[in-house]
Amino acid sequence: EIQLQESGPGLVKPSQSLSLTCSVTGYTITSGYDWSWIRKFPGNKMEWMGYISYSGSTNYNPSLKSRISITRDTSKNQFFLQLNSVTTEDTATYYCAETEGDVMDAWGQGASVTVSS
Amino acid sequence: DIQMTQSPASLSASLGETVTIECRASEDIYNGLAWYQQKPGKSPQLLIYNANSLHTGVPSRFSGSGSGTQYSLKINSLQSEDVASYFCQQYYNYPFTFGSGTKLEIK
């Protein structure tokens, strides 16, 4: 069974960078699938942010393209989200998810991130 | 981006009832649609993909249908454990986009 777990700071100051880690167990991220980041805003709107594929290629939501980077550490079976120049509008719960055929069929528990000074 | 309009925003129904949630896409998404369930305090779980295919382990009282721009999720014989929020997601085109969610409660 694939399991994912997000980790990272729960509080980030405006204009700084948000960095989150997704640790994957039960599957090697270079073996297949895409590995996505999704966020859910207060008020329940959900936004797909992007993914890194098993081969290392990336695909980002154009609304974030200038601020987002998704990378990975294959030795630790982890992938990462970095979102630059955050504002209070980036306050959300961030989820990582295993993505097969563009469908998110295993999700982490979520990491709540607040952007505030 | 493809806009997904989901309705209703909230729904209250009795145990044993049948409920239907709708999603309308701003253009044809050719059955590239998934439904997710998110129980309070939990992460989303995949229910349906390709508009009408039941994900492994999902009870058969859940079903999806639709085509073109109109899709629906039906829950037969509502159970107490179905209290949750439900979201649709289109994956026909990038960027993937979600509906605004439906909160389902038991009367």
Side-chain angles (χ1 to χ4, degrees), chain B residues 6-19:
Chain B
Q6 185 172 342
S7 61
S10 62
L11 185 54
S12 182
S14 301
L15 293 174
E17 271 193 50
T18 294
V19 300

Side-chain angles (χ1 to χ4, degrees), chain A residues 69-111:
Chain A
S69 177
I70 300 176
T71 58
R72 65 182 184 173
D73 183 336
T74 58
S75 68
K76 294 182 178 179
N77 214 39
Q78 295 175 328
F79 63 106
F80 311 103
L81 170 70
Q82 181 171 317
L83 187 65
N84 299 322
S85 306
V86 298
T87 71
T88 55
E89 295 189 353
D90 294 308
T91 293
T93 298
Y94 288 75
Y95 295 95
C96 58
E98 173 257 311
T99 304
E100 181 181 11
D102 297 334
V103 173
M104 276 68 84
D105 59 4
W107 297 62
Q109 287 302 301

